[in-house]
Amino acid sequence: MGLFAKKTEPDTQAVLTGPLPFDQIGTALAALAGAGESGAIEAVDALLVQAALHRASDVHLEPWDEGVSLRFRIDGLLHEVASLPVRHHARIAGRVKVLARMLTYQKDLPQDGRIDPEASGCGKAVRVSTFPTVNGEKLVLRILNPDPNLFDLDVLGFDADTTDALRGIVTRPQGAFLLTGPASSGKTTTIYAMIREILGRRGPSTHVVAIEDPVEYRLGRVSQSEVNSHAGFTYEAALRAALRQDPEVLVLGEIRDPETARTAIQAGLTGHLVISTIHSGTAAGVFTRLLDMGVEPYLAASSVVGVMAQRLYRRACPDCAETALPAPRERLRCGIADGAGTLRAVGCPACLGIGYRGRAALGEVLMVDEALEGLLLTRPRTQTVHDAALAAGMVPLFEQAARCVRARLTTPEELERLFPAPGAGTHREE
Ligand SMILES: [Zn+2]
C-alpha cells in the first residue's frame, strides 16, 4: 500500500472504502502513484473507487504546466478535485489505457476504449476517451452506472402529472412519442424507464427493438442494436431493418435526418409505438422541427401522440440546506409568497461542500389532442403551438422548476442556473 494508507493506521483502506474529501483524494492518489512499481495500478483503482463513491458520472484528467487537473462531474457540474504532480501523469494515463485496451504508445491521436466492470476496481464499466492537447494527453472516463433502480418512472423525480402522462404513453398500441432536451438532460434514462415499464406490463408478449449510438446499458429482453455509420449501418438503415423484425415497440436513439424522421413517424401510424429523441428547444418546437425535416403535417399530426422537453435540476442537500429570505427579484421570478423562505445551499461533508445532492427531472409534456391535431395541419409557428398547449394545460419547464423552489426541493440559484433571467449574464460557479 502507499504512503497515505500507511500513515493512517485504522484507515488503511480509507481510499477504497469511503468517500474522502476532495483535498484528501489528491494527497492519497499522489502518494499511491509515487509508491513503487504497482503504484499506478493502486492509484487508478483508488481514483475510480472515489469517483464512483462520489457518484461522479465523468472523471477528467488533464495535464497543465502546473499540474494534472483532476475533475469529477457530479450531478451534471464539473468540480475541481485536485491537482496532481505532472510526473505521475504518464504512469496514471498508461495504466488507464492498459485497462481500456488502448495502444499505450499512441499519444498523438484520440482513442476510445472501455474498462469492464470486473477490471475497473469500482464494479462499474467505464468508457474511456483520450484527446491529444498541446499540454499532453487528456483523458475523460465516463462511469456507466448499471443501477437498474434508476430506470423506474417513479424515481426519476417527475411530478405526478408527468409520471401519469408517461405511464399513459406506454400503454398506447401505436404512435410516436418524442423527447427533447440538451445533452445530459436525462432523456436516455427516461426512455429506459419507459421500456422497463412496457416490459413490466406486457412481459414477453412484447417485442422491443432499440437502436442506439452507443448502447450504454444492457436491458434484458430488449433487442438492442448499435448504429455503425462507418459500415453504412445508420439510424435510417437500422430502422428499416428493425421494421422487418416484427416489433411492437421501436426505440430510436435520435431522429436527426429527414429520412429517419419520415420512416419513424410513418412507423407510428402502422401499429408500432415509436419512442425517440429529437433536437429542439421546447416541446412545441418538436413539431416545427419535424415539418422542417420534410414530414408532412398530416403525418406528424396523426402519428405523434405526445412530446416532452426534459431538464434535470439538482436537489438541495437535505443535510445542510438552510432557509433564507429570497431576494425580491428571486421572489417575483419564482412566485414566492411575501415573507416565505426558500432553501439556500450551504455545503457539508455529506454533499462534499457542494450544497446539492442528487438530481431530479422536470418534464414539459405536450399531449396531442384533437384541437392540436387540427392546428398542426395549418403548419403553425412554434409559438402558436406553445400557446395552444398552455391553454390545454401544459406546464412549462420554468414553472415546473419554480414549483420545485416553492416546494423547497431546490434553491432559487439552481433555477437561475437552469433558466437564466434575460439580461442576467452568465451564471456563477459554485
Ligand atoms: Zn450538505
Side-chain angles (χ1 to χ4, degrees):
M1 291 300 292
L3 295 174
F4 174 82
K6 276 179 193 157
K7 73 179 177 192
T8 49
E9 185 66 55
D11 288 330
T12 44
Q13 295 292 310
V15 75
L16 294 174
T17 52
L20 295 181
F22 286 166
D23 55 339
Q24 291 184 29
I25 293 176
T27 316
L29 292 181
L32 285 171
E37 279 301 298
S38 64
I41 296 176
E42 291 178 3
V44 171
D45 277 358
L47 172 60
L48 287 170
V49 166
Q50 283 299 317
L53 286 169
H54 284 293
R55 303 179 303 105
S57 59
D58 302 83
V59 174
H60 292 221
L61 272 169
E62 182 159 15
W64 301 100
D65 288 343
E66 65 275 16
V68 181
S69 151
L70 169 63
R71 292 184 290 178
F72 286 175
R73 187 177 294 282
I74 301 172
D75 291 335
L77 266 72
L78 268 181
H79 296 276
E80 184 88 25
V81 174
S83 178
L84 302 172
V86 175
R87 65 179 184 280
H88 298 321
H89 184 59
R91 300 179 70 208
I92 291 178
R95 173 61 184 165
V96 171
K97 288 163 79 177
V98 166
L99 285 173
R101 296 189 213 97
M102 294 172 164
L103 302 172
T104 46
Y105 59 83
Q106 180 76 267
K107 294 176 183 171
D108 49 3
L109 286 174
Q111 296 187 66
D112 292 308
R114 186 184 158 99
I115 306 176
D116 293 329
E118 306 76 46
S120 69
C122 64
K124 296 170 196 276
V126 179
R127 209 169 61 217
V128 182
S129 63
T130 70
F131 188 73
T133 76
V134 289
N135 288 307
E137 198 171 30
K138 177 187 166 195
L139 281 78
V140 174
L141 293 73
R142 156 103 9 133
I143 298 177
L144 302 173
N145 200 331
D147 182 0
N149 295 320
L150 281 176
F151 307 137
D152 180 339
L153 288 178
D154 288 318
V155 305
L156 300 180
F158 288 118
D159 66 13
D161 288 345
T162 305
T163 307
D164 286 351
L166 294 173
R167 286 227 156 83
I169 296 286
V170 301
T171 61
R172 301 255 185 156
Q174 68 167 26
F177 179 68
L178 302 174
L179 287 99
T180 189
S184 304
S185 56
K187 300 185 295 289
T188 305
T189 304
T190 300
I191 289 178
Y192 282 5
M194 293 177 82
I195 295 175
R196 284 236 316 180
E197 186 84 15
I198 290 168
L199 294 175
R201 281 164 183 262
R202 310 192 204 170
S205 68
T206 285
H207 180 202
V208 183
V209 180
I211 302 162
E212 299 165 75
D213 182 21
V215 171
E216 294 218 336
Y217 304 101
R218 303 281 170 89
L219 303 164
R221 308 291 301 191
V222 176
S223 310
Q224 287 176 283
S225 185
E226 204 164 278
V227 298
N228 182 353
S229 305
H230 298 301
F233 194 54
T234 58
Y235 268 120
E236 160 70 359
L239 179 58
R240 287 194 182 282
L243 281 166
R244 293 191 290 270
Q245 287 274 303
D246 187 28
E248 263 96 26
V249 181
L250 271 167
V251 176
L252 201 58
E254 191 187 355
I255 292 176
R256 56 169 92 125
D257 63 88
E259 290 72 29
T260 310
R262 280 196 293 269
T263 311
I265 299 303
Q266 187 76 51
L269 278 179
T270 52
H272 310 94
L273 178 62
V274 178
I275 302 175
S276 187
T277 73
I278 188 166
H279 185 72
S280 156
T282 60
V286 166
F287 294 102
T288 318
R289 178 98 173 105
L290 284 176
L291 301 192
D292 285 349
M293 286 204 279
V295 176
E296 291 296 328
Y298 77 91
L299 271 183
S302 46
S303 173
V304 178
V305 292
V307 298
M308 180 171 84
Q310 180 168 344
R311 294 286 189 285
L312 294 175
Y313 71 91
R314 296 179 302 163
R315 283 188 171 129
C317 172
D319 289 334
C320 63
E322 285 179 351
T323 298
L325 279 180
R329 196 176 58 85
E330 292 170 338
R331 195 167 55 77
L332 275 175
R333 252 202 123 196
C334 303
I336 295 153
D338 227 349
T342 52
L343 290 186
R344 189 179 60 194
V346 179
C348 72
C351 60
L352 294 146
I354 295 169
Y356 297 88
R357 221 164 83 205
R359 283 188 292 179
L362 306 168
E364 173 181 288
V365 181
L366 193 169
M367 298 301 289
V368 179
D369 57 13
E370 240 173 80
L372 186 58
E373 225 178 288
L375 178 63
L376 289 173
L377 296 178
T378 67
R379 291 185 177 268
R381 296 174 44 211
T382 301
Q383 189 60 45
T384 311
V385 177
H386 187 77
D387 292 344
L390 290 181
M394 179 180 82
V395 183
L397 282 169
F398 176 82
E399 172 54 22
Q400 303 222 9
R403 284 180 182 180
C404 295
V405 172
R406 296 199 292 270
R408 298 165 62 86
L409 296 168
T410 193
T411 65
E413 289 77 18
E414 179 66 357
L415 175 137
E416 190 65 33
R417 185 180 73 81
L418 287 172
F419 305 100
T426 52
H427 71 79
R428 296 188 305 274
E429 290 293 335
E430 274 78 2

